[in-house]
Amino acid sequence: NAGVTQTPKFQVLKTGQSMTLQCAQDMNHNSMYWYRQDPGMGLRLIYYSASEGTTDKGEVPNGYNVSRLNKREFSLRLESAAPSQTSVYFCAGNRDNQGNYGYTFGSGTRLTVV
Amino acid sequence: LAKTTQPISMDSYEGQEVNITCSHNNIATNDYITWYQQFPSQGPRFIIQGYKTKVTNEVASLFIPADRKSSTLSLPRVSLSDTAVYYCLVGPWNTGFQKLVFGTGTRLLVSP
């Protein structure tokens, strides 16, 4: 199905371990985003990529890195996981020139750091 | 982006109409009002967008008064499946790249 695909769906890490969350879209989106959502909270922007080859920090970038591998793929890396990074992570994509309209989100990665 | 204020939670029963109001006193002339819906364990999805007066689609209606300082999302005859978090966002349209900034949203619980 067309859309935004995230892998894995669930992950448990030990403190200090590293991992990469993968995101791929087949909707020809120029911009892509990583959000985190803590229990009972709204989504907070971690990093975004306005176009292929560019990345920039959002509200809560500390402890994360990203790579816009190509137009389709935007990965999020945790170099040394901490319990505070336990959250649900959402990747999203959007076509440009549409403001707040037209965002497509993935189904999320539920990450637990113990 | 204009700051928005909406109720933290609302309760309703099946078959009722639900109205969720969002305040955006500092809305700019070129800002549009957009609502997203998030079901449990899913990412948000776009449901409706408007600039002024009234917009209606198969999911909801959006009412925007003339001063545009608030807006109301109306869900007709809700069902249990409408239990979700609803986010109100305000921002310009057609200006190229746009970061989506979410507040905490309104958590709607529909009971039998």
Side-chain angles (χ1 to χ4, degrees):
Chain A
N1 291 335
V4 178
T5 302
Q6 293 182 232
T7 55
K9 293 189 183 302
F10 301 93
Q11 183 71 48
V12 178
L13 290 179
K14 294 182 179 179
T15 298
Q17 287 185 316
S18 62
M19 78 161 294
T20 299
L21 281 64
Q22 306 287 351
C23 177
Q25 53 92 6
D26 58 5
M27 304 179 73
N28 202 34
H29 289 158
N30 286 320
S31 57
M32 297 184 72
Y33 310 79
W34 276 105
Y35 290 86
R36 62 175 287 174
Q37 185 172 36
D38 300 326
M41 305 288 288
L43 287 84
R44 292 185 292 171
L45 182 62
I46 305 171
Y47 269 94
Y48 62 94
S49 171
S51 60
E52 184 180 357
T54 69
T55 62
D56 214 336
K57 296 178 181 180
E59 301 174 70
V60 289
N62 291 343
Y64 305 94
N65 283 301
V66 291
S67 295
R68 184 74 183 268
L69 305 172
N70 47 56
K71 188 171 185 178
R72 290 187 63 248
E73 299 173 287
F74 188 40
S75 61
L76 178 72
R77 183 162 178 82
L78 287 70
E79 291 290 352
S80 179
S84 61
Q85 295 178 304
T86 293
S87 189
V88 181
Y89 292 84
F90 290 100
C91 176
N94 192 23
R95 296 187 295 274
D96 290 342
N97 299 316
Q98 293 197 19
N100 286 336
Y101 173 86
Y103 279 74
T104 301
F105 283 80
S107 57
T109 295
R110 188 174 298 274
L111 175 67
T112 302
V113 183
V114 297
Chain B
L1 296 176
K3 179 178 172 61
T4 61
T5 303
Q6 48 183 128
I8 294 175
S9 64
M10 295 182 69
D11 295 321
S12 184
Y13 293 97
E14 283 189 293
Q16 291 188 334
E17 179 183 69
V18 171
N19 295 309
I20 305 174
T21 298
C22 179
S23 297
H24 27 80
N25 291 321
N26 296 322
I27 190 168
T29 302
N30 60 342
D31 283 344
Y32 279 68
I33 300 150
T34 311
W35 286 80
Y36 277 75
Q37 175 189 54
Q38 185 180 22
F39 295 118
S41 302
Q42 295 186 27
R45 68 164 189 157
F46 168 88
I47 52 173
I48 200 165
Q49 183 179 61
Y51 184 80
K52 61 181 179 180
T53 63
K54 176 183 174 182
V55 179
T56 297
N57 62 22
E58 66 278 4
V59 176
S61 294
L62 179 59
F63 298 93
I64 306 168
D67 67 5
R68 303 199 329 121
K69 293 184 182 298
S70 66
S71 58
T72 299
L73 176 73
S74 182
L75 305 173
R77 297 179 299 281
V78 295
S79 64
L80 297 178
S81 63
D82 291 314
T83 292
V85 179
Y86 293 83
Y87 297 96
C88 167
L89 297 93
V90 174
W93 165 271
N94 202 25
T95 58
F97 170 72
Q98 183 73 236
K99 290 186 291 183
L100 207 59
V101 178
F102 290 86
T104 53
T106 297
R107 190 172 299 271
L108 173 66
L109 175 63
V110 181
S111 301

